PDB file of all heavy atoms in Angstrom:
ATOM      1  N   LYS A 190       1.896   1.269   0.866  1.00  0.00           N
ATOM      2  CA  LYS A 190       2.800   2.413   0.919  1.00  0.00           C
ATOM      3  C   LYS A 190       3.489   2.617  -0.421  1.00  0.00           C
ATOM      4  O   LYS A 190       3.694   3.731  -0.885  1.00  0.00           O
ATOM      5  CB  LYS A 190       3.832   2.231   2.021  1.00  0.00           C
ATOM      6  CG  LYS A 190       3.264   2.373   3.431  1.00  0.00           C
ATOM      7  CD  LYS A 190       4.357   2.240   4.456  1.00  0.00           C
ATOM      8  CE  LYS A 190       3.808   2.430   5.861  1.00  0.00           C
ATOM      9  NZ  LYS A 190       4.859   2.266   6.892  1.00  0.00           N
ATOM     10  N   ALA A 197       2.194   9.359  -5.867  1.00  0.00           N
ATOM     11  CA  ALA A 197       2.755  10.676  -5.580  1.00  0.00           C
ATOM     12  C   ALA A 197       3.813  11.049  -6.611  1.00  0.00           C
ATOM     13  O   ALA A 197       3.874  12.180  -7.085  1.00  0.00           O
ATOM     14  CB  ALA A 197       3.354  10.693  -4.177  1.00  0.00           C
ATOM     15  N   LYS A 206       5.807  18.194 -16.037  1.00  0.00           N
ATOM     16  CA  LYS A 206       5.638  18.212 -17.482  1.00  0.00           C
ATOM     17  C   LYS A 206       4.568  19.226 -17.886  1.00  0.00           C
ATOM     18  O   LYS A 206       4.665  19.882 -18.913  1.00  0.00           O
ATOM     19  CB  LYS A 206       5.266  16.815 -17.992  1.00  0.00           C
ATOM     20  CG  LYS A 206       6.430  15.827 -17.952  1.00  0.00           C
ATOM     21  CD  LYS A 206       6.028  14.486 -18.518  1.00  0.00           C
ATOM     22  CE  LYS A 206       7.198  13.512 -18.524  1.00  0.00           C
ATOM     23  NZ  LYS A 206       6.816  12.193 -19.031  1.00  0.00           N
ATOM     24  N   ILE A 209       6.138  22.785 -17.702  1.00  0.00           N
ATOM     25  CA  ILE A 209       7.147  23.102 -18.719  1.00  0.00           C
ATOM     26  C   ILE A 209       6.499  22.967 -20.092  1.00  0.00           C
ATOM     27  O   ILE A 209       6.420  21.877 -20.651  1.00  0.00           O
ATOM     28  CB  ILE A 209       8.374  22.176 -18.589  1.00  0.00           C
ATOM     29  CG1 ILE A 209       8.979  22.322 -17.192  1.00  0.00           C
ATOM     30  CG2 ILE A 209       9.409  22.497 -19.649  1.00  0.00           C
ATOM     31  CD1 ILE A 209      10.068  21.316 -16.892  1.00  0.00           C
ATOM     32  N   PHE A 216      16.937  31.596 -33.487  1.00  0.00           N
ATOM     33  CA  PHE A 216      16.432  32.157 -34.742  1.00  0.00           C
ATOM     34  C   PHE A 216      17.360  33.287 -35.167  1.00  0.00           C
ATOM     35  O   PHE A 216      17.660  34.179 -34.379  1.00  0.00           O
ATOM     36  CB  PHE A 216      15.010  32.679 -34.558  1.00  0.00           C
ATOM     37  CG  PHE A 216      14.350  33.103 -35.840  1.00  0.00           C
ATOM     38  CD1 PHE A 216      13.845  32.159 -36.712  1.00  0.00           C
ATOM     39  CD2 PHE A 216      14.241  34.448 -36.177  1.00  0.00           C
ATOM     40  CE1 PHE A 216      13.229  32.540 -37.901  1.00  0.00           C
ATOM     41  CE2 PHE A 216      13.642  34.840 -37.357  1.00  0.00           C
ATOM     42  CZ  PHE A 216      13.128  33.884 -38.224  1.00  0.00           C
ATOM     43  N   ILE A 218      18.708  36.121 -38.310  1.00  0.00           N
ATOM     44  CA  ILE A 218      18.548  36.847 -39.567  1.00  0.00           C
ATOM     45  C   ILE A 218      19.816  37.655 -39.808  1.00  0.00           C
ATOM     46  O   ILE A 218      20.263  38.398 -38.938  1.00  0.00           O
ATOM     47  CB  ILE A 218      17.340  37.813 -39.517  1.00  0.00           C
ATOM     48  CG1 ILE A 218      16.037  37.053 -39.270  1.00  0.00           C
ATOM     49  CG2 ILE A 218      17.240  38.617 -40.814  1.00  0.00           C
ATOM     50  CD1 ILE A 218      14.853  37.960 -39.034  1.00  0.00           C
ATOM     51  N   GLY A 235       6.784  24.723 -28.908  1.00  0.00           N
ATOM     52  CA  GLY A 235       6.085  23.859 -27.952  1.00  0.00           C
ATOM     53  C   GLY A 235       4.630  24.225 -27.884  1.00  0.00           C
ATOM     54  O   GLY A 235       3.961  24.333 -28.922  1.00  0.00           O
ATOM     55  N   TYR A 250       9.264  43.881 -29.605  1.00  0.00           N
ATOM     56  CA  TYR A 250      10.394  44.679 -29.113  1.00  0.00           C
ATOM     57  C   TYR A 250      11.439  44.859 -30.218  1.00  0.00           C
ATOM     58  O   TYR A 250      11.947  45.969 -30.422  1.00  0.00           O
ATOM     59  CB  TYR A 250      11.022  44.005 -27.900  1.00  0.00           C
ATOM     60  CG  TYR A 250      12.240  44.736 -27.365  1.00  0.00           C
ATOM     61  CD1 TYR A 250      12.098  45.854 -26.552  1.00  0.00           C
ATOM     62  CD2 TYR A 250      13.530  44.308 -27.685  1.00  0.00           C
ATOM     63  CE1 TYR A 250      13.205  46.527 -26.069  1.00  0.00           C
ATOM     64  CE2 TYR A 250      14.644  44.976 -27.201  1.00  0.00           C
ATOM     65  CZ  TYR A 250      14.473  46.085 -26.398  1.00  0.00           C
ATOM     66  OH  TYR A 250      15.581  46.755 -25.929  1.00  0.00           O
ATOM     67  N   LEU A 257      11.179  52.731 -36.595  1.00  0.00           N
ATOM     68  CA  LEU A 257      10.187  53.164 -37.572  1.00  0.00           C
ATOM     69  C   LEU A 257       9.169  54.075 -36.898  1.00  0.00           C
ATOM     70  O   LEU A 257       8.997  54.047 -35.684  1.00  0.00           O
ATOM     71  CB  LEU A 257       9.466  51.943 -38.166  1.00  0.00           C
ATOM     72  CG  LEU A 257      10.321  50.983 -39.006  1.00  0.00           C
ATOM     73  CD1 LEU A 257       9.514  49.740 -39.351  1.00  0.00           C
ATOM     74  CD2 LEU A 257      10.804  51.664 -40.277  1.00  0.00           C
ATOM     75  N   SER A 263       2.374  48.821 -36.690  1.00  0.00           N
ATOM     76  CA  SER A 263       1.244  47.943 -36.397  1.00  0.00           C
ATOM     77  C   SER A 263       1.138  46.799 -37.398  1.00  0.00           C
ATOM     78  O   SER A 263       1.220  46.999 -38.608  1.00  0.00           O
ATOM     79  CB  SER A 263      -0.060  48.747 -36.388  1.00  0.00           C
ATOM     80  OG  SER A 263      -0.273  49.357 -37.640  1.00  0.00           O
ATOM     81  N   GLU A 299      19.322  35.768 -25.514  1.00  0.00           N
ATOM     82  CA  GLU A 299      19.540  34.451 -24.924  1.00  0.00           C
ATOM     83  C   GLU A 299      18.607  34.234 -23.746  1.00  0.00           C
ATOM     84  O   GLU A 299      18.140  35.183 -23.109  1.00  0.00           O
ATOM     85  CB  GLU A 299      20.992  34.286 -24.453  1.00  0.00           C
ATOM     86  CG  GLU A 299      21.384  35.219 -23.324  1.00  0.00           C
ATOM     87  CD  GLU A 299      22.753  34.899 -22.756  1.00  0.00           C
ATOM     88  OE1 GLU A 299      23.115  33.719 -22.717  1.00  0.00           O
ATOM     89  OE2 GLU A 299      23.451  35.843 -22.346  1.00  0.00           O
ATOM     90  N   LEU A 305      10.377  26.676 -12.912  1.00  0.00           N
ATOM     91  CA  LEU A 305       8.935  26.469 -13.033  1.00  0.00           C
ATOM     92  C   LEU A 305       8.155  27.751 -12.779  1.00  0.00           C
ATOM     93  O   LEU A 305       6.961  27.817 -13.039  1.00  0.00           O
ATOM     94  CB  LEU A 305       8.479  25.374 -12.058  1.00  0.00           C
ATOM     95  CG  LEU A 305       9.027  23.968 -12.322  1.00  0.00           C
ATOM     96  CD1 LEU A 305       8.500  22.998 -11.287  1.00  0.00           C
ATOM     97  CD2 LEU A 305       8.655  23.500 -13.727  1.00  0.00           C
ATOM     98  N   LEU A 312      17.571  40.531 -24.245  1.00  0.00           N
ATOM     99  CA  LEU A 312      17.825  40.991 -25.605  1.00  0.00           C
ATOM    100  C   LEU A 312      18.762  42.193 -25.539  1.00  0.00           C
ATOM    101  O   LEU A 312      18.461  43.195 -24.888  1.00  0.00           O
ATOM    102  CB  LEU A 312      16.531  41.394 -26.312  1.00  0.00           C
ATOM    103  CG  LEU A 312      15.560  40.278 -26.688  1.00  0.00           C
ATOM    104  CD1 LEU A 312      14.387  40.850 -27.480  1.00  0.00           C
ATOM    105  CD2 LEU A 312      16.243  39.180 -27.506  1.00  0.00           C
ATOM    106  N   ASN A 324      23.048  53.507 -30.281  1.00  0.00           N
ATOM    107  CA  ASN A 324      22.425  53.316 -28.975  1.00  0.00           C
ATOM    108  C   ASN A 324      22.428  51.831 -28.598  1.00  0.00           C
ATOM    109  O   ASN A 324      21.966  50.991 -29.375  1.00  0.00           O
ATOM    110  CB  ASN A 324      20.987  53.836 -28.986  1.00  0.00           C
ATOM    111  CG  ASN A 324      20.933  55.342 -29.108  1.00  0.00           C
ATOM    112  OD1 ASN A 324      21.682  56.061 -28.439  1.00  0.00           O
ATOM    113  ND2 ASN A 324      20.074  55.849 -29.977  1.00  0.00           N
ATOM    114  N   PHE A 329      15.503  42.869 -20.175  1.00  0.00           N
ATOM    115  CA  PHE A 329      15.134  41.544 -19.674  1.00  0.00           C
ATOM    116  C   PHE A 329      13.624  41.359 -19.794  1.00  0.00           C
ATOM    117  O   PHE A 329      12.843  42.246 -19.452  1.00  0.00           O
ATOM    118  CB  PHE A 329      15.550  41.375 -18.212  1.00  0.00           C
ATOM    119  CG  PHE A 329      17.031  41.339 -18.001  1.00  0.00           C
ATOM    120  CD1 PHE A 329      17.691  42.428 -17.440  1.00  0.00           C
ATOM    121  CD2 PHE A 329      17.779  40.235 -18.363  1.00  0.00           C
ATOM    122  CE1 PHE A 329      19.060  42.408 -17.244  1.00  0.00           C
ATOM    123  CE2 PHE A 329      19.147  40.204 -18.175  1.00  0.00           C
ATOM    124  CZ  PHE A 329      19.791  41.291 -17.614  1.00  0.00           C
ATOM    125  N   PHE A 330      13.226  40.182 -20.262  1.00  0.00           N
ATOM    126  CA  PHE A 330      11.822  39.812 -20.352  1.00  0.00           C
ATOM    127  C   PHE A 330      11.606  38.605 -19.453  1.00  0.00           C
ATOM    128  O   PHE A 330      12.213  37.544 -19.667  1.00  0.00           O
ATOM    129  CB  PHE A 330      11.451  39.461 -21.792  1.00  0.00           C
ATOM    130  CG  PHE A 330      11.589  40.612 -22.752  1.00  0.00           C
ATOM    131  CD1 PHE A 330      12.815  40.900 -23.330  1.00  0.00           C
ATOM    132  CD2 PHE A 330      10.497  41.402 -23.079  1.00  0.00           C
ATOM    133  CE1 PHE A 330      12.948  41.957 -24.218  1.00  0.00           C
ATOM    134  CE2 PHE A 330      10.624  42.464 -23.960  1.00  0.00           C
ATOM    135  CZ  PHE A 330      11.853  42.747 -24.527  1.00  0.00           C
ATOM    136  N   THR A 335       3.882  29.033 -17.703  1.00  0.00           N
ATOM    137  CA  THR A 335       2.636  28.313 -17.987  1.00  0.00           C
ATOM    138  C   THR A 335       1.658  29.114 -18.827  1.00  0.00           C
ATOM    139  O   THR A 335       0.740  28.551 -19.409  1.00  0.00           O
ATOM    140  CB  THR A 335       1.927  27.899 -16.679  1.00  0.00           C
ATOM    141  OG1 THR A 335       1.593  29.058 -15.921  1.00  0.00           O
ATOM    142  CG2 THR A 335       2.834  26.993 -15.851  1.00  0.00           C
ATOM    143  N   ILE A 346       8.620  40.998  -7.480  1.00  0.00           N
ATOM    144  CA  ILE A 346       9.185  41.439  -6.198  1.00  0.00           C
ATOM    145  C   ILE A 346       8.111  41.468  -5.120  1.00  0.00           C
ATOM    146  O   ILE A 346       7.045  42.068  -5.301  1.00  0.00           O
ATOM    147  CB  ILE A 346       9.823  42.836  -6.350  1.00  0.00           C
ATOM    148  CG1 ILE A 346      10.894  42.817  -7.448  1.00  0.00           C
ATOM    149  CG2 ILE A 346      10.426  43.289  -5.029  1.00  0.00           C
ATOM    150  CD1 ILE A 346      11.418  44.191  -7.825  1.00  0.00           C
ATOM    151  N   ASP A 347       8.406  40.847  -4.000  1.00  0.00           N
ATOM    152  CA  ASP A 347       7.475  40.799  -2.877  1.00  0.00           C
ATOM    153  C   ASP A 347       7.625  42.017  -1.966  1.00  0.00           C
ATOM    154  O   ASP A 347       6.651  42.523  -1.432  1.00  0.00           O
ATOM    155  CB  ASP A 347       7.695  39.510  -2.081  1.00  0.00           C
ATOM    156  CG  ASP A 347       6.635  39.295  -1.030  1.00  0.00           C
ATOM    157  OD1 ASP A 347       5.449  39.498  -1.342  1.00  0.00           O
ATOM    158  OD2 ASP A 347       6.983  38.942   0.110  1.00  0.00           O
ATOM    159  N   SER A 353      15.217  47.114  -2.704  1.00  0.00           N
ATOM    160  CA  SER A 353      15.884  48.350  -3.145  1.00  0.00           C
ATOM    161  C   SER A 353      17.085  48.668  -2.259  1.00  0.00           C
ATOM    162  O   SER A 353      18.132  49.108  -2.752  1.00  0.00           O
ATOM    163  CB  SER A 353      14.901  49.522  -3.126  1.00  0.00           C
ATOM    164  OG  SER A 353      13.889  49.332  -4.088  1.00  0.00           O
ATOM    165  N   ALA A 366      31.838  53.037  -5.337  1.00  0.00           N
ATOM    166  CA  ALA A 366      33.049  53.219  -4.529  1.00  0.00           C
ATOM    167  C   ALA A 366      34.306  52.805  -5.284  1.00  0.00           C
ATOM    168  O   ALA A 366      35.347  53.445  -5.183  1.00  0.00           O
ATOM    169  CB  ALA A 366      32.925  52.425  -3.233  1.00  0.00           C
ATOM    170  N   ASN A 370      33.556  56.675  -7.574  1.00  0.00           N
ATOM    171  CA  ASN A 370      33.724  57.521  -6.380  1.00  0.00           C
ATOM    172  C   ASN A 370      32.837  58.760  -6.454  1.00  0.00           C
ATOM    173  O   ASN A 370      33.275  59.885  -6.217  1.00  0.00           O
ATOM    174  CB  ASN A 370      35.193  57.916  -6.216  1.00  0.00           C
ATOM    175  CG  ASN A 370      35.484  58.430  -4.807  1.00  0.00           C
ATOM    176  OD1 ASN A 370      34.826  58.035  -3.849  1.00  0.00           O
ATOM    177  ND2 ASN A 370      36.465  59.303  -4.693  1.00  0.00           N
ATOM    178  N   GLN A 371      31.575  58.539  -6.829  1.00  0.00           N
ATOM    179  CA  GLN A 371      30.614  59.629  -6.933  1.00  0.00           C
ATOM    180  C   GLN A 371      29.439  59.352  -6.003  1.00  0.00           C
ATOM    181  O   GLN A 371      29.109  58.198  -5.733  1.00  0.00           O
ATOM    182  CB  GLN A 371      30.088  59.760  -8.372  1.00  0.00           C
ATOM    183  CG  GLN A 371      31.120  60.280  -9.357  1.00  0.00           C
ATOM    184  CD  GLN A 371      30.555  60.339 -10.759  1.00  0.00           C
ATOM    185  OE1 GLN A 371      30.219  59.332 -11.358  1.00  0.00           O
ATOM    186  NE2 GLN A 371      30.436  61.546 -11.289  1.00  0.00           N
ATOM    187  N   GLN A 383      17.079  54.543  -7.610  1.00  0.00           N
ATOM    188  CA  GLN A 383      15.961  53.988  -8.360  1.00  0.00           C
ATOM    189  C   GLN A 383      16.308  52.595  -8.859  1.00  0.00           C
ATOM    190  O   GLN A 383      17.458  52.333  -9.233  1.00  0.00           O
ATOM    191  CB  GLN A 383      15.626  54.885  -9.561  1.00  0.00           C
ATOM    192  CG  GLN A 383      15.188  56.291  -9.178  1.00  0.00           C
ATOM    193  CD  GLN A 383      14.990  57.166 -10.397  1.00  0.00           C
ATOM    194  OE1 GLN A 383      14.269  56.819 -11.326  1.00  0.00           O
ATOM    195  NE2 GLN A 383      15.645  58.322 -10.406  1.00  0.00           N
ATOM    196  N   ILE A 388      14.758  43.860 -14.506  1.00  0.00           N
ATOM    197  CA  ILE A 388      15.632  43.037 -13.665  1.00  0.00           C
ATOM    198  C   ILE A 388      15.687  41.642 -14.260  1.00  0.00           C
ATOM    199  O   ILE A 388      14.669  41.104 -14.706  1.00  0.00           O
ATOM    200  CB  ILE A 388      15.103  42.986 -12.223  1.00  0.00           C
ATOM    201  CG1 ILE A 388      15.249  44.360 -11.556  1.00  0.00           C
ATOM    202  CG2 ILE A 388      15.836  41.939 -11.388  1.00  0.00           C
ATOM    203  CD1 ILE A 388      14.614  44.439 -10.194  1.00  0.00           C
ATOM    204  N   PHE A 390      17.267  37.409 -14.333  1.00  0.00           N
ATOM    205  CA  PHE A 390      17.574  36.244 -13.509  1.00  0.00           C
ATOM    206  C   PHE A 390      18.632  35.399 -14.209  1.00  0.00           C
ATOM    207  O   PHE A 390      18.639  35.273 -15.431  1.00  0.00           O
ATOM    208  CB  PHE A 390      16.325  35.382 -13.295  1.00  0.00           C
ATOM    209  CG  PHE A 390      15.254  36.037 -12.473  1.00  0.00           C
ATOM    210  CD1 PHE A 390      14.399  36.975 -13.042  1.00  0.00           C
ATOM    211  CD2 PHE A 390      15.083  35.721 -11.135  1.00  0.00           C
ATOM    212  CE1 PHE A 390      13.404  37.582 -12.301  1.00  0.00           C
ATOM    213  CE2 PHE A 390      14.086  36.322 -10.379  1.00  0.00           C
ATOM    214  CZ  PHE A 390      13.247  37.247 -10.957  1.00  0.00           C
ATOM    215  N   GLU A 420      20.847  36.297  -0.821  1.00  0.00           N
ATOM    216  CA  GLU A 420      20.717  37.643  -0.254  1.00  0.00           C
ATOM    217  C   GLU A 420      19.369  38.294  -0.571  1.00  0.00           C
ATOM    218  O   GLU A 420      18.966  39.244   0.105  1.00  0.00           O
ATOM    219  CB  GLU A 420      21.842  38.546  -0.782  1.00  0.00           C
ATOM    220  CG  GLU A 420      23.243  38.116  -0.350  1.00  0.00           C
ATOM    221  CD  GLU A 420      24.306  39.067  -0.851  1.00  0.00           C
ATOM    222  OE1 GLU A 420      23.983  40.259  -1.039  1.00  0.00           O
ATOM    223  OE2 GLU A 420      25.451  38.629  -1.062  1.00  0.00           O
ATOM    224  N   LEU A 425      11.650  38.165  -3.082  1.00  0.00           N
ATOM    225  CA  LEU A 425      11.143  37.876  -4.413  1.00  0.00           C
ATOM    226  C   LEU A 425       9.901  36.988  -4.344  1.00  0.00           C
ATOM    227  O   LEU A 425       9.775  36.146  -3.453  1.00  0.00           O
ATOM    228  CB  LEU A 425      12.216  37.171  -5.244  1.00  0.00           C
ATOM    229  CG  LEU A 425      13.521  37.924  -5.481  1.00  0.00           C
ATOM    230  CD1 LEU A 425      14.526  37.026  -6.205  1.00  0.00           C
ATOM    231  CD2 LEU A 425      13.284  39.200  -6.279  1.00  0.00           C
TER     232      LEU A 425
END
Side-chain angles (χ1 to χ4, degrees):
K190 288 183 178 178
K206 288 182 178 178
I209 302 172
F216 188 77
I218 299 173
Y250 177 80
L257 295 172
S263 60
E299 65 172 326
L305 295 180
L312 290 185
N324 291 316
F329 292 106
F330 297 85
T335 61
I346 303 171
D347 189 44
S353 294
N370 197 29
Q371 290 178 295
Q383 298 175 53
I388 291 174
F390 293 79
E420 296 182 28
L425 300 174

